[in-house]
Amino acid sequence: MIKNRLILTGLIVGLLILICLIWIFSRPLQTQYLMRTINRNLIASEYSGRLASPLDKPKGNFNLLGYWYSIVDSSDTMFVFTVFNDGILIPYGARISVTGEVMEIMPLSFHARQVHENIPESFIRIYKQRIEAGVQPR
């Protein structure tokens, strides 16, 4: 009985370790696919900026989950994150200036543009404040 429980526990722990390793080692591939998808959506929405390459997490006390990208022909960066609203993950991008100020927060998909009108402005302001508080000027 105890032997079976130990085997089951070992199997579960082994699977969790394997999943974590796959997640860690596939991160560069995830960032490239995400960048390509976002650039297609930016073209479709007729936005002039394009993402150039993934960046490392900035220095400072930053605790939001997301990806950082440089922007083509600009010294600004973009932080790509998701907002959970009504059971749906909505992708957003925050364009951040060199001084660490959030210049704009934009929806990054067709569905996000449709749902964006229903999200309260105060909700977006909270994300803006959290991003600005965690980013140190470069």
Short mmCIF file of all heavy atoms in Angstrom, two decimals, residues 58 62 68 75-77 94-103 128-138:
data_model
loop_
_atom_site.label_atom_id
_atom_site.label_comp_id
_atom_site.label_asym_id
_atom_site.label_seq_id
_atom_site.Cartn_x
_atom_site.Cartn_y
_atom_site.Cartn_z
N PRO A 58 13.49 43.64 -17.09
CA PRO A 58 14.23 44.83 -16.66
C PRO A 58 14.66 44.74 -15.20
O PRO A 58 14.09 43.99 -14.41
CB PRO A 58 13.22 45.96 -16.86
CG PRO A 58 11.91 45.31 -16.68
CD PRO A 58 12.07 43.92 -17.25
N PHE A 62 10.05 44.27 -10.38
CA PHE A 62 8.97 44.04 -11.34
C PHE A 62 8.38 42.66 -11.10
O PHE A 62 9.07 41.65 -11.20
CB PHE A 62 9.50 44.15 -12.77
CG PHE A 62 8.42 44.37 -13.76
CD1 PHE A 62 7.89 45.63 -13.91
CD2 PHE A 62 7.91 43.34 -14.50
CE1 PHE A 62 6.87 45.85 -14.82
CE2 PHE A 62 6.90 43.55 -15.39
CZ PHE A 62 6.37 44.80 -15.56
N TRP A 68 9.02 41.01 -22.63
CA TRP A 68 9.55 42.31 -23.01
C TRP A 68 10.13 42.24 -24.41
O TRP A 68 10.81 41.29 -24.76
CB TRP A 68 10.66 42.72 -22.03
CG TRP A 68 10.12 43.08 -20.70
CD1 TRP A 68 9.93 42.24 -19.64
CD2 TRP A 68 9.66 44.35 -20.28
NE1 TRP A 68 9.39 42.92 -18.58
CE2 TRP A 68 9.23 44.22 -18.94
CE3 TRP A 68 9.58 45.60 -20.89
CZ2 TRP A 68 8.72 45.30 -18.22
CZ3 TRP A 68 9.09 46.66 -20.17
CH2 TRP A 68 8.66 46.51 -18.85
N SER A 75 13.64 53.71 -29.33
CA SER A 75 14.33 53.33 -28.09
C SER A 75 13.34 52.84 -27.03
O SER A 75 13.74 52.43 -25.95
CB SER A 75 15.13 54.52 -27.55
OG SER A 75 14.26 55.59 -27.31
N ASP A 76 12.04 52.88 -27.35
CA ASP A 76 11.01 52.41 -26.44
C ASP A 76 10.99 50.89 -26.40
O ASP A 76 11.54 50.21 -27.26
CB ASP A 76 9.64 52.91 -26.87
CG ASP A 76 9.53 54.42 -26.84
OD1 ASP A 76 10.37 55.05 -26.17
OD2 ASP A 76 8.62 54.96 -27.49
N THR A 77 10.35 50.35 -25.38
CA THR A 77 10.15 48.91 -25.27
C THR A 77 8.65 48.63 -25.15
O THR A 77 7.86 49.53 -24.89
CB THR A 77 10.87 48.34 -24.03
OG1 THR A 77 10.40 49.01 -22.87
CG2 THR A 77 12.36 48.47 -24.15
N ALA A 94 2.01 47.23 -23.51
CA ALA A 94 2.26 48.55 -22.94
C ALA A 94 3.55 49.09 -23.55
O ALA A 94 4.61 48.47 -23.40
CB ALA A 94 2.38 48.47 -21.43
N ARG A 95 3.43 50.21 -24.24
CA ARG A 95 4.62 50.85 -24.82
C ARG A 95 5.24 51.72 -23.74
O ARG A 95 4.59 52.62 -23.20
CB ARG A 95 4.24 51.68 -26.04
CG ARG A 95 5.44 52.22 -26.76
CD ARG A 95 5.06 52.94 -28.02
NE ARG A 95 6.27 53.34 -28.71
CZ ARG A 95 6.43 53.26 -30.00
NH1 ARG A 95 5.46 52.81 -30.75
NH2 ARG A 95 7.55 53.64 -30.56
N ILE A 96 6.51 51.46 -23.44
CA ILE A 96 7.19 52.11 -22.32
C ILE A 96 8.35 52.93 -22.85
O ILE A 96 9.18 52.43 -23.61
CB ILE A 96 7.67 51.05 -21.30
CG1 ILE A 96 6.47 50.25 -20.82
CG2 ILE A 96 8.40 51.71 -20.15
CD1 ILE A 96 6.80 49.04 -20.03
N SER A 97 8.40 54.19 -22.44
CA SER A 97 9.46 55.09 -22.90
C SER A 97 10.76 54.81 -22.15
O SER A 97 10.80 54.02 -21.20
CB SER A 97 9.03 56.54 -22.69
OG SER A 97 8.98 56.83 -21.31
N VAL A 98 11.80 55.50 -22.56
CA VAL A 98 13.12 55.35 -21.93
C VAL A 98 13.08 55.79 -20.47
O VAL A 98 13.81 55.27 -19.63
CB VAL A 98 14.17 56.17 -22.72
CG1 VAL A 98 15.53 56.07 -22.08
CG2 VAL A 98 14.22 55.70 -24.15
N THR A 99 12.21 56.73 -20.15
CA THR A 99 12.11 57.23 -18.78
C THR A 99 11.31 56.31 -17.87
O THR A 99 11.19 56.58 -16.68
CB THR A 99 11.46 58.63 -18.77
OG1 THR A 99 10.15 58.54 -19.34
CG2 THR A 99 12.30 59.62 -19.54
N GLY A 100 10.73 55.25 -18.40
CA GLY A 100 9.96 54.31 -17.60
C GLY A 100 8.48 54.63 -17.54
O GLY A 100 7.74 54.02 -16.77
N GLU A 101 8.03 55.57 -18.35
CA GLU A 101 6.62 55.96 -18.37
C GLU A 101 5.86 55.13 -19.40
O GLU A 101 6.33 54.91 -20.51
CB GLU A 101 6.51 57.44 -18.72
CG GLU A 101 5.10 57.94 -18.79
CD GLU A 101 5.04 59.39 -19.27
OE1 GLU A 101 6.08 60.03 -19.39
OE2 GLU A 101 3.92 59.84 -19.54
N VAL A 102 4.67 54.68 -19.03
CA VAL A 102 3.82 53.95 -19.96
C VAL A 102 3.14 54.97 -20.88
O VAL A 102 2.36 55.79 -20.43
CB VAL A 102 2.77 53.10 -19.22
CG1 VAL A 102 1.82 52.44 -20.20
CG2 VAL A 102 3.44 52.06 -18.36
N MET A 103 3.49 54.91 -22.15
CA MET A 103 2.95 55.87 -23.11
C MET A 103 1.54 55.48 -23.56
O MET A 103 0.69 56.33 -23.74
CB MET A 103 3.89 55.99 -24.31
CG MET A 103 5.24 56.56 -23.89
SD MET A 103 6.52 56.42 -25.13
CE MET A 103 5.78 57.15 -26.54
N LYS A 128 -1.35 50.21 -15.58
CA LYS A 128 -0.38 51.24 -15.95
C LYS A 128 0.46 51.63 -14.74
O LYS A 128 1.69 51.72 -14.82
CB LYS A 128 -1.11 52.45 -16.51
CG LYS A 128 -0.21 53.55 -16.96
CD LYS A 128 -1.00 54.70 -17.56
CE LYS A 128 -0.07 55.83 -17.98
NZ LYS A 128 -0.78 56.94 -18.58
N GLN A 129 -0.18 51.83 -13.60
CA GLN A 129 0.55 52.20 -12.39
C GLN A 129 1.48 51.08 -11.92
O GLN A 129 2.61 51.33 -11.49
CB GLN A 129 -0.43 52.56 -11.27
CG GLN A 129 -1.17 53.85 -11.51
CD GLN A 129 -2.30 54.07 -10.50
OE1 GLN A 129 -2.64 53.19 -9.73
NE2 GLN A 129 -2.89 55.27 -10.54
N ARG A 130 1.02 49.84 -12.01
CA ARG A 130 1.85 48.72 -11.59
C ARG A 130 3.07 48.56 -12.49
O ARG A 130 4.16 48.25 -12.01
CB ARG A 130 1.03 47.43 -11.58
CG ARG A 130 0.02 47.38 -10.46
CD ARG A 130 -0.78 46.13 -10.47
NE ARG A 130 0.05 44.99 -10.12
CZ ARG A 130 -0.33 43.73 -10.24
NH1 ARG A 130 -1.53 43.45 -10.71
NH2 ARG A 130 0.46 42.76 -9.91
N ILE A 131 2.88 48.78 -13.79
CA ILE A 131 4.01 48.67 -14.72
C ILE A 131 5.01 49.81 -14.45
O ILE A 131 6.21 49.57 -14.36
CB ILE A 131 3.51 48.70 -16.18
CG1 ILE A 131 2.71 47.43 -16.48
CG2 ILE A 131 4.68 48.85 -17.15
CD1 ILE A 131 1.97 47.47 -17.79
N GLU A 132 4.51 51.03 -14.32
CA GLU A 132 5.40 52.17 -14.08
C GLU A 132 6.13 52.04 -12.74
O GLU A 132 7.28 52.46 -12.63
CB GLU A 132 4.63 53.48 -14.15
CG GLU A 132 4.23 53.86 -15.55
CD GLU A 132 3.39 55.13 -15.60
OE1 GLU A 132 2.87 55.56 -14.55
OE2 GLU A 132 3.29 55.69 -16.71
N ALA A 133 5.47 51.48 -11.74
CA ALA A 133 6.10 51.33 -10.43
C ALA A 133 7.23 50.30 -10.46
O ALA A 133 8.20 50.42 -9.72
CB ALA A 133 5.05 50.92 -9.39
N GLY A 134 7.12 49.31 -11.31
CA GLY A 134 8.13 48.26 -11.35
C GLY A 134 9.29 48.52 -12.29
O GLY A 134 10.34 47.89 -12.17
N VAL A 135 9.13 49.44 -13.24
CA VAL A 135 10.18 49.68 -14.23
C VAL A 135 11.03 50.87 -13.78
O VAL A 135 10.51 51.92 -13.47
CB VAL A 135 9.55 49.99 -15.62
CG1 VAL A 135 10.63 50.32 -16.62
CG2 VAL A 135 8.72 48.82 -16.09
N GLN A 136 12.33 50.65 -13.80
CA GLN A 136 13.24 51.75 -13.49
C GLN A 136 13.67 52.40 -14.81
O GLN A 136 13.87 51.70 -15.81
CB GLN A 136 14.48 51.23 -12.78
CG GLN A 136 14.21 50.73 -11.40
CD GLN A 136 15.46 50.19 -10.74
OE1 GLN A 136 16.48 49.98 -11.37
NE2 GLN A 136 15.36 49.95 -9.44
N PRO A 137 13.81 53.72 -14.83
CA PRO A 137 14.28 54.38 -16.06
C PRO A 137 15.64 53.86 -16.48
O PRO A 137 16.47 53.53 -15.64
CB PRO A 137 14.36 55.86 -15.66
CG PRO A 137 13.53 55.98 -14.44
CD PRO A 137 13.54 54.66 -13.76
N ARG A 138 15.84 53.78 -17.80
CA ARG A 138 17.13 53.29 -18.32
C ARG A 138 18.13 54.40 -18.41
O ARG A 138 17.92 55.50 -18.62
CB ARG A 138 16.95 52.67 -19.70
CG ARG A 138 16.17 51.37 -19.60
CD ARG A 138 15.96 50.78 -20.96
NE ARG A 138 14.64 51.25 -21.41
CZ ARG A 138 14.32 51.43 -22.66
NH1 ARG A 138 15.19 51.23 -23.60
NH2 ARG A 138 13.14 51.83 -23.00
#
